[in-house]
Amino acid sequence: MGEERRIVAVFAVRHAESVANRIKNADPLAYYKRAMLDDVDHASSDRLRDCILTREGMQASLDKSAEAKGGFETAGKGVEGCTLLCVSPMARTILTACLLYSELQQSGADVKVTLEPSCIESITAPHDIVEDIGRPMSVVFLEVRDVLREFDAPAGAFTLLDKLEVAGVGLDDLWWFKLAAPGQLPVRVLESGADERRQAMSAAVSAALARHAADDVRRVVIVGHW
């Protein structure tokens, strides 16, 4: 008999409201004046580069955590098999994943994680808008941990953060960097590069599933930007 094929469900989740979303919605002109300027030294409440979630965004993610777990449950059997979270390495997506799936983690379900650069957003290239420019993961994880503590996040969120931090070991400090030729100006690639990004993401998810071939992965959740 041939090898039995597993059917894996794939879900796409967009991060919750970020600081950049709030700034853009409040004053689009002010946002676009800053969109290409590095503001990494700004306070997190006003920073566009690799911004965090607003408090409202964090609360919305946590409020949906029971629903997120319930969506994976089988009647009378709980959550069967393994859930694989493929998370963009940006602060706002990491925070969303930790809070949204905190109850799933706390329930004792089998949750595996991977940090996947192919899941990032790309508006312009080779130099992107500042909110899509990353930071070294050591800096990101320190900030996210502090943000979760200040928010009084549940234990499951910190467990997922610990897993993501382990998954980020070995990721280059400049993981987001794209080489540009001298004098090359950024151009919009949101639409024109969509197929290439989808193919890269699909390949990355397939590679992650291969790494977890020994696990009973029933579902993959891509936490990105969409």
Side-chain angles (χ1 to χ4, degrees):
M1 295 180 63
E3 183 179 347
E4 183 179 351
R5 295 184 58 131
R6 277 186 306 173
I7 297 177
V8 178
V10 179
F11 301 86
V13 172
R14 184 187 185 276
H15 66 79
E17 183 191 57
S18 70
V19 168
N21 295 148
R22 175 179 53 76
I23 292 172
K24 184 177 181 180
N25 291 336
D27 190 341
L29 181 58
Y31 167 83
Y32 283 112
K33 284 180 178 179
R34 298 173 51 187
M36 302 298 287
L37 303 177
D38 191 359
D39 61 356
V40 72
D41 293 328
H42 283 213
S44 61
S45 60
D46 186 55
R47 192 186 72 237
L48 292 179
R49 181 172 173 180
D50 189 24
C51 54
I52 62 171
L53 298 181
T54 63
R55 187 168 186 86
E56 292 77 12
M58 289 189 285
Q59 188 62 56
S61 299
L62 186 59
D63 288 347
K64 290 286 186 180
S65 61
E67 183 180 335
K69 177 178 76 71
F72 297 154
E73 290 178 334
T74 302
K77 297 182 180 179
V79 180
E80 296 185 294
C82 173
T83 302
L84 176 60
L85 304 182
C86 293
V87 183
S88 162
M90 306 296 281
R92 58 194 184 273
T93 42
I94 292 172
L95 280 165
T96 299
C98 289
L99 291 166
L100 183 60
Y101 294 104
S102 58
E103 189 157 336
L104 178 68
Q105 174 63 51
Q106 284 184 209
S107 73
D110 186 9
V111 183
K112 301 292 193 298
V113 305
T114 182
L115 275 180
E116 185 42 64
S118 70
C119 295
I120 65 168
E121 180 177 59
S122 186
I123 305 297
T124 65
H127 182 74
D128 216 332
I129 61 173
V130 71
E131 70 185 86
D132 290 334
I133 296 177
R135 295 175 296 159
M137 296 313 302
S138 57
V139 174
V140 174
F141 284 120
L142 280 174
E143 179 181 56
V144 169
R145 194 171 296 278
D146 285 344
V147 169
L148 289 175
R149 285 196 189 106
E150 184 178 346
F151 184 69
D152 197 22
F158 290 97
T159 302
L160 287 174
L161 183 62
D162 290 340
K163 291 182 176 183
L164 285 163
E165 190 163 9
V166 171
V169 172
L171 201 60
D172 191 273
D173 274 354
L174 298 176
W175 61 266
W176 68 89
F177 179 75
K178 299 180 180 70
L179 188 65
Q184 184 179 3
L185 295 175
V187 296
R188 185 177 174 91
V189 295
L190 178 61
E191 297 84 9
S192 61
D195 286 343
E196 182 179 351
R197 291 195 301 275
R198 276 193 291 266
Q199 291 170 10
M201 194 182 303
S202 177
V205 170
S206 295
L209 283 169
R211 291 195 299 272
H212 291 279
D215 300 307
D216 183 19
V217 176
R218 304 286 185 91
R219 62 203 68 84
V220 173
V221 182
I222 302 171
V223 185
H225 307 264
W226 310 104

